[in-house]
Amino acid sequence: MAKKFMKGNDSIIVGALSAGCRAYYGYPITPASEIAHAAALHFPALGGTFIQAESEVAAINMCYGTAGMGIRVMTASSSPGVSLKQEGLSYAAGAELPLVIVNINRGGPGLGNIAPEQSDYFQATKGGGHGSYRLIVLAPNSAQEMCDLTMLAFDLADRYRNPAMVLADGFIGQMMEAVDVPQAKPVPYDHSSWCVRGDEATRRNVVSSIVLDPHHLEAHNLKLRDKYAACARDEVRCEEYRTEDADLIVVAYGIVSRIVYSTVDEARERGLKVGLLRPITLWPFPSARLAELAVGRAKAFLSVELNTGQMVEDVRLAVFGKRPVHFYGRCGGVVPGGDEIVAEYARLLKGGGHESH
Amino acid sequence: MAVTLQQLTKHDDLLAGGHRACAGCTGANILRQVLLTAGRDTVLGCATGCMEVITTIYPYTAWRIPFIHSAFENSAATVSGAETAFRALKKRGELPVARERINFIAMGGDGGTYDIGLQSLSGAMERGHNMVYICYDNEAYMNTGIQRSSATPFGAHTSTAPAGKVRQGKEQHRKDLTRIMVAHNIPYAAQTTPFHWRDLAAKVQKALDTPGPAFINVLMPCTVGWHFEMALGMEMARIAVETNFWPLFEVENGQYKLNHKPKQRTPIVEWLKAQGRFKHLFKPGNEAIIEELQRRVDADWEKLLREAGEPAATPA
């Protein structure tokens, strides 16, 4: 493996190229533009395609078209841009098209700012667009994972014929770290049973999400439901650190999980038995593992996020009232320091904090 | 309707200092010139972009008039809403202050106008709102890191149409937005630059005085994205006009009028050579790109002369 020092945003493109993706459609938005810049530099040079669309809506629908050809394709944007893409994502999920979208989450709502937030959790995991569909949502916490999870996103998108999102933030996108450039060859998928390429094999295929008959549409939705159930059963990924004997289990993803990770040992030196559970897939969410931990020795849970409380709702659903679930969040681009998080552990473990933080 | 500098200096300066424009930005000049003409009884909406970011970083504002920020693609739609509300209130006699006229101005950069905002601009023009849309065209997405737009000239280097081994900058010509607006059969459409302040002021005045929709496209040289010496912004605007790359013209009710005819044709090279974004065009092997740019400028100029009823530049 060759190690290279690079930005998280550039690492996305390394992962995409390693996954065999050669089609990128983008639109400028800070702090995701570097992904497009890297794609503009490298995709054409490797025989691929980079097109800057005239809008976010056009970019996602160009992805829809290329995905309809059964070809690996991606786009990347940041929060307001991803809002504009929601219709396209719903259509892609409805027509069962595999594509990858990266969201470098910035401060919202509205124009907000260009600093890191995790405020698009709801949008990413609860639909965002219309209809009963799911996005597969992967949450990297390092430049390395920006590459690795982008590769995984292509794989899961193809396997489940569904859009997959890499949900990062302005912090991880800008952060420079050593990245092992993967050497593995991408696994090819045969999409000839559904894609439209104009050749003999695909001549009778139709890419569409219109199902007018209510019973037919219900059947289509139930088929999607079963697909999502299989995905939820098989694709949950999370990572734990010192949860086995923890009194307080902290749930954090993305950049915040890096900060929390660094506080666990420090907290334990101060006699605070803390552990970390880091969801790597935000959908499917590691609910089953949290439910197990909720009947174990842990006394309480704490969700730490860069928003005013979003993932905490999924933690509460998983814990299901068996233990108190607390929340600590900063937003607007303010990233908490380790000290303030440890102070929160101390408050909860020694002072018995209120759930309605 | 000649405007004099003396007159303009007596008007209120409605853009406060302390805004965050880059050193050498010509955009702030455009805003100031527009506001000197429009005056206080104006509501201005601006899409996300350079001019919005430099003027309205919370908790500050440089606008001494009411200002509405909109999403990137929606400046024309937002101001359509404001203008419609004004008309409705006026009709009902429910305006808090009885005003005969309020100016409604929508603004956007080339990204927010030529590209993502074209739909809402087209809708507003077609519906016929009494508003003026002003595009500040710096020929790329400068606020997000110099990505190409459909206003970027052929051959220009940008971060998403880079010049390198495989490509030599943007491979498409720019979209002719002013003519697209003319094709909406609106009563007034024009092109100008901040160097030609008298022309700009007269056009803004005419656009505001015209009942119904009007469109003004203002070239905005950008030191950061075009890579020229900071002090040369106005010079870049001047040469763009002298080379016929950006002719000053206006179209009133379908009638084209040329507002400035250069005494002699300045080759496009004179404009290109001062800008870093065209640097690669001067490498051996890229002569054809400059020739293509010149060919297009000449063809567009001939077309404009015909439309404006002027004698042809070169005998047919």
Side-chain angles (χ1 to χ4, degrees):
Chain A
M1 288 237 201
K3 252 196 196 323
K4 290 218 165 127
F5 193 58
M6 66 177 82
K7 263 189 188 184
N9 277 346
D10 290 329
S11 182
I12 293 271
I13 289 304
V14 172
L17 291 170
S18 303
C21 176
R22 292 291 182 275
Y24 184 106
Y25 307 116
Y27 189 72
I29 186 164
T30 313
S33 292
E34 288 118 336
I35 305 174
H37 298 176
L41 272 183
H42 300 300
F43 273 59
L46 291 168
T49 296
F50 167 86
I51 295 179
Q52 186 185 312
E54 77 279 17
S55 70
E56 297 283 4
V57 173
I60 191 68
N61 284 294
M62 286 181 183
C63 288
Y64 184 96
T66 296
M69 296 275 289
I71 290 167
R72 282 196 164 173
V73 62
M74 74 176 295
T75 185
S77 188
S78 180
S79 309
V82 177
S83 292
L84 283 167
K85 292 183 191 290
Q86 293 304 322
E87 182 200 49
L89 290 174
S90 169
Y91 274 65
E96 296 192 81
L97 294 180
L99 59 88
V100 170
I101 173 170
V102 179
N103 181 2
I104 305 297
N105 198 161
R106 61 185 247 182
L111 191 59
N113 64 20
I114 56 173
E117 264 197 2
Q118 296 180 322
S119 47
D120 297 351
Y121 179 92
F122 281 156
Q123 186 194 56
T125 64
K126 308 293 178 194
H130 60 282
S132 296
Y133 78 96
R134 291 292 191 174
L135 281 187
I136 298 164
V137 184
L138 306 173
N141 77 348
S142 63
Q144 181 68 56
E145 282 195 352
M146 291 288 255
C147 169
D148 297 348
L149 295 186
T150 300
M151 292 181 73
L152 178 64
F154 279 105
D155 196 45
L156 293 177
D158 272 334
R159 202 180 309 162
Y160 292 95
R161 283 185 57 190
N162 198 70
M165 174 180 278
V166 175
L167 180 59
D169 61 69
F171 205 122
I172 304 168
Q174 298 300 316
M175 195 162 69
M176 290 189 85
E177 290 184 296
V179 174
D180 274 326
V181 177
Q183 306 296 322
K185 286 260 180 293
V187 186
Y189 280 80
D190 178 13
H191 292 317
S192 58
S193 67
W194 58 264
C195 73
V196 288
R197 284 183 171 153
D199 56 2
E200 188 57 43
T202 66
R203 195 148 295 155
R204 297 178 69 84
N205 291 346
V206 173
V207 171
S208 168
S209 62
I210 180 168
V211 190
L212 282 181
D213 183 279
H215 295 290
H216 290 169
L217 184 55
E218 184 181 50
H220 179 56
N221 268 285
L222 294 178
K223 185 185 125 197
L224 293 180
R225 179 200 64 183
D226 293 346
K227 179 173 85 174
Y228 293 133
C231 182
R233 184 187 65 224
D234 297 337
E235 305 300 345
V236 174
R237 285 163 175 81
C238 64
E239 190 178 73
E240 292 178 42
Y241 182 58
R242 302 188 80 169
T243 50
E244 63 286 348
D245 64 341
D247 292 329
L248 177 69
I249 291 176
V250 185
V251 187
Y253 70 93
I255 187 62
V256 181
S257 70
R258 293 286 287 273
I259 301 163
V260 169
Y261 187 89
S262 68
T263 65
V264 170
D265 291 344
E266 188 189 330
R268 283 178 177 253
E269 278 165 28
R270 291 176 53 182
L272 304 165
K273 279 190 158 177
V274 175
L276 164 69
L277 184 140
R278 169 172 84 99
I280 295 169
T281 50
L282 298 180
W283 194 90
F285 193 69
S287 307
R289 179 57 188 151
L290 279 166
E292 274 173 25
L293 290 167
V295 294
R297 60 157 296 158
K299 293 179 184 136
F301 290 78
L302 169 67
S303 187
V304 184
E305 305 170 47
L306 297 184
N307 55 45
T308 53
Q310 299 194 10
M311 179 177 68
V312 65
E313 294 189 3
D314 284 333
V315 178
R316 287 200 177 114
L317 276 173
V319 170
F320 212 64
K322 295 194 172 66
R323 296 284 186 276
V325 177
H326 305 279
F327 173 74
Y328 187 78
R330 299 299 301 266
C331 48
V334 181
V335 179
D339 290 353
E340 65 181 282
I341 296 177
V342 173
E344 186 65 11
Y345 303 158
R347 195 180 74 81
L348 292 172
L349 287 173
K350 291 178 175 166
H354 299 288
E355 197 164 334
S356 59
H357 178 79
Chain B
M1 207 175 359
V3 184
T4 67
L5 203 53
Q6 205 174 14
Q7 281 171 343
L8 285 180
T9 55
K10 286 178 190 149
H11 294 189
D12 295 329
D13 184 0
L14 298 173
L15 188 79
H19 59 71
R20 299 185 182 201
C22 303
C25 174
T26 61
N29 300 75
I30 295 172
L31 299 186
R32 202 158 255 138
Q33 291 179 24
V34 167
L35 293 179
L36 279 175
T37 306
R40 281 189 192 276
D41 292 339
T42 300
V43 173
L44 190 143
C46 188
T48 301
C50 286
M51 291 304 102
E52 172 265 332
V53 165
I54 67 155
T55 54
T56 53
I57 297 278
Y58 182 84
Y60 304 106
T61 176
W63 301 95
R64 291 184 170 132
I65 55 161
F67 175 82
I68 314 179
H69 165 247
S70 73
F72 202 10
E73 67 282 14
N74 284 321
S75 156
T78 302
V79 175
S80 294
E83 187 269 343
T84 302
F86 174 77
R87 270 189 292 122
L89 290 174
K90 195 173 171 184
K91 200 169 164 187
R92 289 191 221 148
E94 290 177 11
L95 281 175
V97 183
R99 291 247 186 261
E100 271 312 297
R101 184 170 121 181
I102 298 280
N103 300 317
F104 287 91
I105 300 177
M107 282 189 115
D110 49 296
T113 308
Y114 284 68
D115 287 353
I116 198 166
L118 185 62
Q119 181 172 309
S120 73
L121 171 60
S122 177
M125 295 293 116
E126 185 270 335
R127 285 188 303 269
H129 293 277
N130 191 17
M131 64 191 262
V132 178
Y133 192 101
I134 296 173
C135 174
Y136 57 93
D137 180 355
N138 56 19
E139 305 196 316
Y141 292 79
M142 300 313 183
N143 184 44
T144 49
I146 318 168
Q147 294 88 8
R148 61 90 91 187
S149 77
S150 54
T152 304
F154 183 74
H157 165 90
T158 66
S159 51
T160 51
K165 284 181 189 149
V166 183
R167 289 180 178 173
Q168 297 304 318
K170 195 185 170 203
E171 294 174 333
Q172 300 83 16
H173 282 286
R174 64 199 318 278
K175 191 188 274 180
D176 193 344
L177 182 66
T178 308
R179 279 193 175 77
I180 294 173
M181 289 301 109
V182 172
H184 283 68
N185 296 318
I186 54 176
Y188 189 75
Q191 268 190 194
T192 186
T193 91
F195 173 80
H196 306 83
W197 58 269
R198 193 195 304 265
D199 184 75
L200 190 151
K203 284 172 176 170
V204 170
Q205 191 62 57
K206 205 180 262 188
L208 290 169
D209 289 345
T210 302
F215 173 82
I216 302 175
N217 208 350
V218 189
L219 187 71
M220 174 186 150
C222 170
T223 173
V224 176
W226 297 13
H227 295 280
F228 55 75
E229 289 291 327
M230 266 180 223
L232 294 181
M234 290 302 166
E235 183 64 3
M236 288 300 110
R238 189 187 69 80
I239 305 177
V241 172
E242 293 305 313
T243 55
N244 297 332
F245 175 84
W246 191 266
L248 302 181
F249 68 95
E250 61 192 336
V251 185
E252 277 183 86
N253 297 312
Q255 293 299 309
Y256 278 79
K257 184 184 171 194
L258 196 59
N259 305 111
H260 174 78
K261 206 172 173 182
K263 288 197 174 63
Q264 59 183 43
R265 173 177 167 275
T266 307
I268 192 68
V269 173
E270 295 304 310
W271 190 59
L272 305 179
K273 69 184 185 188
Q275 302 176 42
R277 62 178 173 158
F278 296 117
K279 191 174 60 184
H280 57 285
L281 300 188
F282 295 93
K283 283 185 193 158
N286 283 344
E287 296 82 1
I289 300 175
I290 295 181
E291 282 165 23
E292 170 58 19
L293 264 163
Q294 185 66 63
R295 188 199 63 76
R296 184 61 174 256
V297 166
D298 292 345
D300 287 350
W301 177 245
E302 292 288 351
K303 190 172 145 200
L304 181 60
L305 290 176
R306 277 197 306 277
E307 286 162 333
E310 299 275 346
T314 49

